Amino acid sequence: MTRADVLGERLAKIPPLIDVDAHVVEPPDLWSSRLPARYRERGPRLVHAPAGEIKLIDGKYREEPGTAGPEVAWWFYEDSRTQLKRYIAAAGVPADEVTLEGITYADMRPGCWQPAERLADMDLNGVQAQLCFPNYPRFCGQMFLWGEDRELARLCVEAYNDWMVEEWCGSGGGRLLPLCIVPLWDVDLAVAEVRRNAARGVRAVAFSELPAYLGLPSLHSRAWDPFFAACQETGTVVAMHIGSGTKTPQTSADAPAAVGATIIFGNSVASLTDFLFSGVLHRFPDLKLLYAEAQIGWIPYLLERVDDVWETHRGWSRGQDNCPEPPSTYYFRQVHSCFFKDAVGIDLLDKVGLDNVLFETDYPHQDGTWPRSREAAAMQFGHLEQEQIDKIARGNAIRLLGLDLPG
């Protein structure tokens, strides 16, 4: 059989997808239309100015507009400046043209930020429903963690969540699935925001895979236990996107960006190890975790290693202090990871766990598979039994998020 024959045969087995990791580019008036008038000049607002450069200083991204050249879209918030870049809105753009240069909203597909156009792009891609992570606030809302005015930052978080629920998802006919953020600097406020959103049907909250990288308490401190308790009680899935700790693995200052882009999954390795040994999943046995854009091929060895350390080094490693059962026990019971390019992970599916795997598209990022995500699914797992295909493509997401969707 030719590749085209194989693809056609496998495509027939791929059902409508449920995409658990896409991204939304926030509309220009999200905060200016929702913040109290007294905060609108300091809250996030869109400004057009010449492109500038980006630097990471003390764990924070710093940018400033240039003085000449074509104007691009900038987010201004307090003293921070962030330009909208091509690589975060790359859907439909040839790979050679995807750069770190600034763009305007006119330079991107409308589906990046308009709900009706997003639904149309989902239709083109065979996606029935989609969960979207933030863009400007960063993957777990850490932009507002860095804000100086805490009251403004809290209002920015709430404004984002109100927009996410009422406008982005509210106009999606149930196909756009809400994912909210929380005030990361205050656990009590985070708990309140989880409960506020759960009361209106939100079943997922973005969180940092490595909060200590953001200068926040670690998982081992138990400071986050009230947050995890609220998520468990409300059935809210803790969704952690790769890079949500901001600091990412690097080998050297002069290594090309390709090195970091390849090894970024190391953050997810560290995060899952933290969760398994911290006792969080033991103390909250109904808490569910979702790793987004982390892929899955690395999981089998990590599970083998954590179980071996738990047993072999029990005399000194303190691995059993908060983890009375082999760590892999908690993974198979409570942890999920999604992928979009990981044929190796599918080869190891019996060790990754059929019920622990979900699919994603990463729209509209360059790494994403739009508009050929069904083809990507078909070539990676379309050879499996239909029941297995259905679980990966949609069934596991329906179960995890408690979705009510037509078959």
Side-chain angles (χ1 to χ4, degrees), residues 36-56:
R38 67 184 185 278
Y39 284 123
R40 289 176 189 166
E41 289 303 311
R42 288 191 292 139
R45 59 205 181 278
L46 201 73
V47 175
H48 287 89
E53 296 183 354
I54 181 172
K55 296 180 180 179
L56 186 61

Side-chain angles (χ1 to χ4, degrees), residues 140-142 144-147 149-151 153-155 157-158 161 181-195 205-207 211 214-217 222-228 230-231:
C140 65
Q142 61 263 50
F144 302 124
L145 168 67
W146 300 328
D149 186 327
R150 291 303 198 204
E151 176 64 11
R154 179 184 64 81
L155 291 171
V157 168
E158 293 176 359
N161 292 338
I181 58 177
V182 295
L184 292 166
W185 59 91
D186 188 306
V187 174
D188 291 336
L189 289 178
V191 167
E193 193 63 7
V194 166
R195 295 189 183 282
V205 61
F207 187 64
L214 297 175
L216 297 169
R222 301 200 179 197
W224 295 103
D225 277 11
F227 170 75
F228 295 132
C231 291

Side-chain angles (χ1 to χ4, degrees), residues 148-331:
E148 294 183 4
D149 186 327
R150 291 303 198 204
E151 176 64 11
L152 171 58
R154 179 184 64 81
L155 291 171
C156 287
V157 168
E158 293 176 359
Y160 178 88
N161 292 338
D162 290 345
W163 166 82
M164 168 63 66
V165 173
E166 298 165 6
E167 294 189 36
W168 181 254
C169 297
S171 59
R175 297 179 61 191
L176 296 173
L177 311 174
L179 172 65
C180 289
I181 58 177
V182 295
L184 292 166
W185 59 91
D186 188 306
V187 174
D188 291 336
L189 289 178
V191 167
E193 193 63 7
V194 166
R195 295 189 183 282
R196 183 176 82 96
N197 291 309
R200 49 184 177 174
V202 177
R203 290 295 173 264
V205 61
F207 187 64
S208 174
E209 57 189 353
L210 290 163
Y213 278 13
L214 297 175
L216 297 169
S218 74
L219 300 181
H220 306 280
S221 71
R222 301 200 179 197
W224 295 103
D225 277 11
F227 170 75
F228 295 132
C231 291
Q232 175 176 258
E233 180 183 330
T234 59
T236 301
V237 176
V238 178
M240 295 170 288
H241 195 283
I242 196 79
S244 55
T246 301
K247 184 173 67 174
T248 56
Q250 302 292 334
T251 59
S252 64
D254 58 349
V259 173
T262 301
I263 65 175
I264 190 173
F265 73 93
N267 278 11
S268 298
V269 175
S271 174
L272 180 53
T273 306
D274 251 5
F275 268 102
L276 294 176
F277 281 125
S278 67
V280 168
L281 301 180
H282 176 70
R283 294 192 297 277
F284 304 103
D286 294 322
L287 180 69
K288 304 300 182 186
L289 307 182
L290 170 66
Y291 284 93
E293 208 172 313
Q295 313 304 331
I296 58 176
W298 53 273
I299 293 173
Y301 174 69
L302 177 65
L303 297 181
E304 177 182 300
R305 179 61 179 165
V306 293
D307 279 358
D308 184 61
V309 168
W310 181 87
E311 176 61 34
T312 304
H313 302 294
R314 61 186 182 274
W316 60 270
S317 68
R318 298 183 59 195
Q320 297 188 358
D321 286 3
N322 299 303
C323 186
E325 298 180 70
S328 62
T329 305
Y330 304 101
Y331 165 80

Side-chain angles (χ1 to χ4, degrees), residues 81 104 200 208 213 328 339 342 372:
R81 308 288 183 258
T104 68
R200 49 184 177 174
S208 174
Y213 278 13
S328 62
F339 74 101
D342 196 343
R372 292 177 292 277

Side-chain angles (χ1 to χ4, degrees), residues 25 85-91 93 103 107-109 112 364-365:
V25 178
K85 301 178 185 65
R86 165 55 68 202
Y87 78 97
I88 60 94
V93 179
I103 60 172
D107 297 324
M108 69 179 78
R109 286 186 68 84
C112 294
H365 288 180

